[in-house]
Amino acid sequence: MKMLEYISAPEAAKKWGISERRVQKLCEENRIPGVAKFSRLWLIPKDALKPVDRRIKHERK
C-alpha cells in the first residue's frame, strides 16, 4: 500500500501562489480533495491541484 505524502497549508500557499489563509479557507470548504485536519494543522495531499477560483468570472465567447 502506498503511503500518502502531505504538505502543510503554508507549503501549499507557496506552491500555488496564494495566501496561507486562502488555503485554510479552501480546506474548511472541502474544496481540496483528501485534506485532513490534525489538531490545528491542515494536511494537504502533496499531489493535490489548486482548486479553481470561483470568484473570478471567465469571459464567455
Side-chain angles (χ1 to χ4, degrees), residues 2 5 8 11-12 25 44 49 53 55 60:
K2 184 182 171 240
E5 291 185 42
S8 65
E11 290 171 310
K25 201 77 180 131
I44 301 152
L49 299 175
D53 193 338
R55 299 172 302 171
R60 293 185 185 175

Side-chain angles (χ1 to χ4, degrees), residues 7-55:
I7 59 175
S8 65
E11 290 171 310
K14 191 173 182 179
K15 178 180 174 183
W16 294 338
I18 59 178
S19 71
E20 181 181 345
R21 180 67 189 125
R22 184 76 188 126
V23 172
Q24 293 169 346
K25 201 77 180 131
L26 291 168
C27 291
E28 290 168 12
E29 295 170 357
N30 295 316
R31 301 258 321 271
I32 305 169
V35 297
K37 192 169 187 183
F38 182 75
S39 186
R40 290 173 45 209
L41 179 71
W42 285 103
L43 300 174
I44 301 152
K46 195 174 185 175
D47 58 356
L49 299 175
K50 177 183 174 187
V52 175
D53 193 338
R54 293 188 201 143
R55 299 172 302 171

